[in-house]
Amino acid sequence: MSAVSFLAIDPLLEGDFLWTPLLIVLVKVLVVFVVGLVATMLMVWFERKAIAGMQNRVGPNKAGPFGLLQTLADGIKLFFKEDLLPERADKFVFRLAPYLSFVPAFLAFAIIPLGGDFRDGNGGLVTWFGQTTRVQLADPPVGVLFALAISSIAVYGIMLAGWSSGSKYPLLGSVRASAQMVSYEASLGLSLAAVILVCGTLSTSGIVNAQSSLGSWNLVATGVVPFLIFLVSATAELNRPPFDLVEAEQELVGGFNTEYSSIRFALFFLAEFMNTITMSALIVTLFFGGPQPITIGGTSLDIPLVPNGLEGTVWLLLKVLVFLYIYVWFRGTLPRFRYDQLMDLGWKFLIPASLGWFMLLAGQRLADDREWDQWIVMPLSLAVITLAFAMMQLAFRASDRNREAEGVQF
Amino acid sequence: MVAQNIAFGIVAAVMVWGALRVVTVNNVVHAALWLVLVLAGAAAQYVILAAEFVAITQVLVYIGAVMVLFLFGTMLTRARIGAERELNNKSWWLGVPSSVLLLGVITLALVSGFGDEELPKDAAVVSTQEISDLIFGPYLLPFWALSFVLLVAVIGAIVLARKD
């Protein structure tokens, strides 16, 4: 059984083969898939409604109560539209690309702890039908690295969609997208490294378990900076405003998906919103304790009328909603970045900043282990980081001067 | 171990097929995609060997970064759709002896290194922590040497791209 034993961190899968665990896993897969789809549908509605509110419009209000069924109606419409295949397209890759962006969006959702009882050192375990398990589809020991790997695979969908369309604008859009996603993946990974350093584990349930009180939430434990870097990089990784240069309508017609229509277009659309939800859930898991209740000084807030087993899910939902609103808010208020600003922010600021902060945290922990005096170590590390930052700025200024001397204009 | 052997056989067959397609297909982007399949197959083999950290690193580094940059470069420079006639150059057959030589060297190294040792029946999962203890402990020097290779590559790229 060594091939599957790395899954055995979920106590459900230990021991002999039984039908009940298999059924529970199947039900979990189904629930995660359906919840993902329904949440995406509601997210589209939420985004349109909230944006409409910010712009003094009404938004969708005809289909169903409060226009809730608008997305369903749009989906059905897209299903029945004609499926166009451009003459100059690369047929196979053109058909493959939507799935390459849709499937990763769902895969990443599998490692997010969706609930469970994390209080009193319970570790998020719940008992269903006499089986102890986690409220999470999979809990691999490589946890968050899986999410990173999945988000790097998601680049393929967008890149190949643009290339295989066989026309100029989609190609430009997808070249922009892949450059952007590859650049911001670096700072995403580096800010995530700070979380891993503080928690000492890669598994998502382990990370949630380490954040048992408000003070030990990674937001506080890693010192806010990695969270801010992660939020900005995640927004860029999702290609959402203000980083939506991928589909800048004024410049690119529609971006990588210009040539797509019907259900294939719907798959891209679905993947985009699904990714937003997954990324929000990941932020909550990494920095805000996931399904952990808000605990101050040993007493945790209790939601009345909700049984303990479900309370984690309610907390997760509330926290994720905050971030979903923040993403909509970004879209409603922030103007789009220019391309060189985007690259400057990523390479010249976010990556060095996340690396510097990671070194600072590592230094602090090393000093802790060796029992060095923190009052000497911290100022010293800060001085080194400031020096490195100043030298970097000098290098940037020198290269800017060289460019100006060459007559390159920006 | 029977299930693993069957899985290994299937994945290995897919990898060999993919590797053959990489060199026979006459479109650069398609060739790159077949290479992605081969690399994904390698990751799958690592999973079968219960080395899931190595597998996920394989996906992260080779599929997620190297191949994406490769495709990116290809798309920027010569992203034609359809077959290209002049994709094979005249000395393509040189690849045959060099790959046979490589196969020989790897086989020799594996046989002389491991002989007829067998994998333990129930292989314990090597945790990420153990791997990092190895990398940053006994293998620190080779790790540094590899980092210097990357540093040299970066400096080389800067030298090439600088205009003055």
Side-chain angles (χ1 to χ4, degrees):
Chain A
M1 285 299 285
S2 71
V4 288
S5 62
F6 66 90
L7 294 172
I9 201 160
D10 191 338
L12 181 70
L13 298 168
E14 273 169 6
D16 292 332
F17 180 81
L18 286 169
W19 283 106
T20 353
L22 185 71
L23 274 177
I24 291 181
V25 171
L26 281 178
V27 167
K28 271 191 197 173
V29 172
L30 198 68
V31 166
V32 165
F33 186 70
V34 171
V35 163
L37 276 181
V38 173
T40 309
M41 204 183 100
L42 291 176
M43 176 62 196
V44 176
W45 170 82
F46 175 68
E47 175 142 5
R48 293 180 67 177
K49 207 71 180 172
I51 286 273
M54 288 177 198
Q55 297 169 343
N56 259 336
R57 296 185 284 115
V58 182
N61 66 342
K62 290 288 185 280
F66 310 107
L68 265 172
L69 298 177
Q70 185 63 46
T71 321
L72 198 65
D74 287 344
I76 292 170
K77 182 192 77 175
L78 279 170
F79 258 108
F80 287 104
K81 281 186 115 176
E82 189 190 348
D83 186 20
L84 284 170
L85 196 69
E87 202 179 324
R88 295 186 55 197
D90 187 305
K91 307 251 168 354
F92 178 71
V93 180
F94 188 81
R95 290 202 183 99
L96 180 74
Y99 299 99
L100 283 183
S101 96
F102 174 73
V103 172
F106 270 90
L107 277 183
F109 207 53
I111 57 149
I112 299 206
L114 296 172
D117 197 0
F118 279 92
R119 272 171 303 185
D120 312 323
N122 221 338
L125 295 173
V126 290
T127 306
W128 289 337
F129 306 105
Q131 303 282 340
T132 312
T133 183
R134 295 183 192 285
V135 192
Q136 165 176 12
L137 186 52
D139 185 24
V142 285
V144 281
L145 283 188
F146 178 80
L148 273 189
I150 289 298
S151 87
S152 67
I153 287 177
V155 183
Y156 280 93
I158 291 178
M159 194 161 67
L160 292 176
W163 175 77
S164 66
S165 297
S167 65
K168 294 272 185 295
Y169 285 120
L171 183 66
L172 279 176
S174 71
V175 164
R176 274 186 182 189
S178 27
Q180 175 181 337
M181 288 166 91
V182 169
S183 316
Y184 278 85
E185 224 157 66
S187 52
L188 198 74
L190 282 172
S191 53
L192 204 135
V195 173
I196 297 168
L197 184 74
V198 167
C199 290
T201 174
L202 287 170
S203 119
T204 41
S205 69
I207 288 173
V208 169
N209 210 14
Q211 309 177 62
S212 51
S213 71
L214 205 59
S216 66
W217 277 10
N218 281 331
L219 174 72
V220 185
T222 59
V224 188
V225 174
F227 161 68
L228 294 175
I229 294 172
F230 194 90
L231 184 67
V232 174
S233 317
T235 316
E237 189 74 12
L238 292 169
N239 295 322
R240 278 187 66 91
F243 302 106
D244 60 337
L245 292 107
V246 180
E247 34 197 312
E249 295 88 351
Q250 300 89 332
E251 304 155 22
L252 290 173
V253 189
F256 67 92
N257 53 20
T258 306
E259 301 287 352
Y260 278 87
S261 56
S262 181
I263 185 66
R264 293 198 230 283
F265 175 78
L267 284 181
F268 278 121
F269 198 72
L270 209 67
E272 199 182 314
F273 279 88
M274 184 73 213
N275 275 328
T276 311
I277 296 171
T278 313
M279 208 45 116
S280 307
L282 197 62
I283 291 175
V284 167
T285 307
L286 290 177
F287 293 99
F288 290 86
Q292 295 260 26
I294 295 175
T295 309
I296 306 162
T299 49
S300 48
L301 294 179
D302 195 66
I303 305 174
L305 298 176
V306 181
N308 275 352
L310 271 177
E311 208 165 289
T313 313
V314 176
W315 277 116
L316 183 82
L317 194 68
L318 288 175
K319 290 173 186 172
V320 168
L321 271 176
V322 171
F323 280 95
L324 291 180
Y325 184 76
I326 287 178
Y327 276 125
V328 176
W329 201 3
F330 280 173
R331 186 185 195 139
T333 46
L334 294 175
R336 184 180 296 137
F337 270 63
R338 218 170 51 214
Y339 196 70
D340 59 315
Q341 290 172 333
L342 174 91
M343 284 298 156
D344 281 358
L345 179 71
W347 287 100
K348 293 185 185 168
F349 181 68
L350 289 183
I351 293 178
S354 52
L355 197 60
W357 196 263
F358 179 71
M359 298 302 271
L360 192 70
L361 283 176
Q364 189 239 330
R365 286 180 81 79
L366 185 71
D368 229 26
D369 277 357
R370 301 276 166 91
E371 290 172 357
W372 291 338
D373 191 0
Q374 295 280 9
W375 287 105
I376 301 172
V377 172
M378 280 292 108
L380 208 63
S381 348
L382 277 175
V384 169
I385 286 173
T386 319
L387 190 72
F389 194 74
M391 279 169 70
M392 205 174 65
Q393 289 303 323
L394 279 178
F396 290 153
R397 207 172 292 168
S399 79
D400 280 351
R401 256 204 311 276
N402 284 350
R403 285 221 181 108
E404 264 167 39
E406 275 175 25
V408 182
Q409 294 206 332
F410 277 100
Chain B
M1 294 293 274
V2 179
Q4 278 100 309
N5 288 345
I6 294 171
F8 171 83
I10 294 170
V11 176
V14 170
M15 280 172 74
V16 170
W17 171 245
L20 284 175
R21 294 295 286 166
V22 172
V23 286
T24 52
V25 92
N26 46 14
N27 179 309
V28 190
V29 175
H30 285 189
L33 288 179
W34 282 108
L35 188 54
V36 169
L37 185 74
V38 176
L39 294 170
Q45 300 288 31
Y46 289 134
V47 172
I48 294 172
L49 287 171
E52 88 281 7
F53 178 73
V54 187
I56 216 86
T57 315
Q58 167 91 3
V59 173
L60 205 60
V61 174
Y62 285 98
I63 302 179
V66 174
M67 288 315 290
V68 166
L69 285 180
F70 190 82
L71 274 171
F72 180 65
T74 325
M75 275 164 54
L76 270 181
T77 50
R78 39 184 301 175
R80 260 165 278 163
I81 285 179
E84 287 174 49
R85 247 174 283 153
E86 282 140 28
L87 208 59
N88 284 334
N89 68 22
K90 275 177 195 154
S91 47
W92 65 268
W93 53 270
L94 273 175
V96 178
S98 53
S99 54
V100 168
L101 197 69
L102 185 66
L103 180 72
V105 169
I106 292 177
T107 315
L108 194 71
L110 284 179
V111 169
S112 72
F114 295 98
D116 41 45
E117 268 178 60
E118 275 185 16
L119 281 176
K121 270 280 181 285
D122 38 25
V125 180
V126 181
S127 74
T128 315
Q129 210 163 4
E130 287 168 50
I131 292 177
S132 73
D133 281 348
L134 277 178
I135 290 178
F136 296 108
Y139 291 99
L140 187 60
L141 212 60
F143 182 71
W144 275 355
L146 277 178
S147 321
F148 271 106
V149 172
L150 288 178
L151 187 67
V152 167
V154 169
I155 293 173
I158 292 173
V159 169
L160 283 178
R162 262 175 81 111
K163 288 188 190 101
D164 49 344

